Amino acid sequence: MSSPGIVLDQELLTAAVEAAGFMPADEGRALAEAALAAPDGPILEVGSYLGKSTLYLAAAARARGGKVVTVDHHRGSEEHQVGWEYHDPGLVDPHLGKIDTLPGFRRAIAAAGAEDVVVAVVARAEEFAALWAAPLAFLFLDGSHTDESAQRDLASWTPHLAAGGVLAIHDVFPDPADGGQAPYRIYRKALESGDYVELTGCGSLRLLRRSPAS
């Protein structure tokens, strides 16, 4: 856990606010503060897109004297594909005709001067989870928002969360009119398991602490 008086790295926090992406500034800061206050141990993010949320976590990681590990296949979620609401033609690799967010992600991390604290893994989250061994202090789930993939992320990564560690889930909307329901359903599943107690979140960001006995 961070020592009293440790504060977020302000340069990285500013870079996160200015970076391209979808996370509101108040939710991003809440994410960073929660990571800063988490127990000692690794911070891991599932789903990095162009690096906005990664930079919020990096602001905490640098202040803690640690790193943030982020895993993403960088081919985009369903909503980023052609014909979907969040499709950006500028992110399509002209040679392959596929979404590729890795170049934009790398530019954002480099421009912010965060390459020393960000460890980027290009892989499917569930495949990397099978190789991961260290107990996590902080786990942020913000990958693809289909039910199948959200449930898979929850099932593959939460076993790695240490007792007392924090699980953060983004885009949790109880009302379907506000957004997709997959993140809400994994949030409810985690909470109803009895393994977590809820912390104060912000907007669509939910924070759960794993119970010591779970």
Side-chain angles (χ1 to χ4, degrees), residues 115-179:
E115 290 179 307
D116 61 321
V117 292
V118 175
V119 178
V121 178
V122 182
R124 293 194 173 277
E126 68 276 12
E127 294 175 357
F128 185 47
L131 303 175
W132 185 267
L136 294 171
F138 191 89
L139 172 62
F140 179 44
L141 298 182
D142 192 23
S144 176
H145 289 1
T146 65
D147 271 311
E148 179 183 3
S149 60
Q151 293 289 343
R152 188 167 57 236
D153 288 344
L154 185 76
S156 59
W157 278 105
T158 52
H160 294 295
L161 188 63
V166 176
L167 169 63
I169 305 174
H170 195 223
D171 292 333
V172 174
F173 298 108
D175 186 345
D178 295 328

Side-chain angles (χ1 to χ4, degrees), residues 79-207:
E79 63 267 26
H80 301 140
Q81 306 307 317
V82 176
W84 287 70
E85 181 178 3
Y86 294 106
H87 177 64
D88 181 352
L91 297 177
V92 176
D93 182 328
H95 301 289
L96 298 176
K98 295 181 179 181
I99 295 288
D100 187 359
T101 57
L102 182 57
F105 170 84
R106 293 193 66 183
R107 281 194 298 271
I109 301 306
E115 290 179 307
D116 61 321
V117 292
V118 175
V119 178
V121 178
V122 182
R124 293 194 173 277
E126 68 276 12
E127 294 175 357
F128 185 47
L131 303 175
W132 185 267
L136 294 171
F138 191 89
L139 172 62
F140 179 44
L141 298 182
D142 192 23
S144 176
H145 289 1
T146 65
D147 271 311
E148 179 183 3
S149 60
Q151 293 289 343
R152 188 167 57 236
D153 288 344
L154 185 76
S156 59
W157 278 105
T158 52
H160 294 295
L161 188 63
V166 176
L167 169 63
I169 305 174
H170 195 223
D171 292 333
V172 174
F173 298 108
D175 186 345
D178 295 328
Q181 292 295 282
Y184 175 70
R185 280 190 274 268
I186 63 170
Y187 153 74
R188 293 302 311 174
K189 185 173 183 177
L191 193 58
E192 291 166 5
S193 71
D195 293 339
Y196 299 88
V197 294
E198 188 157 18
L199 306 175
T200 301
C202 179
S204 72
L205 178 70
R206 297 293 188 274
L207 299 169

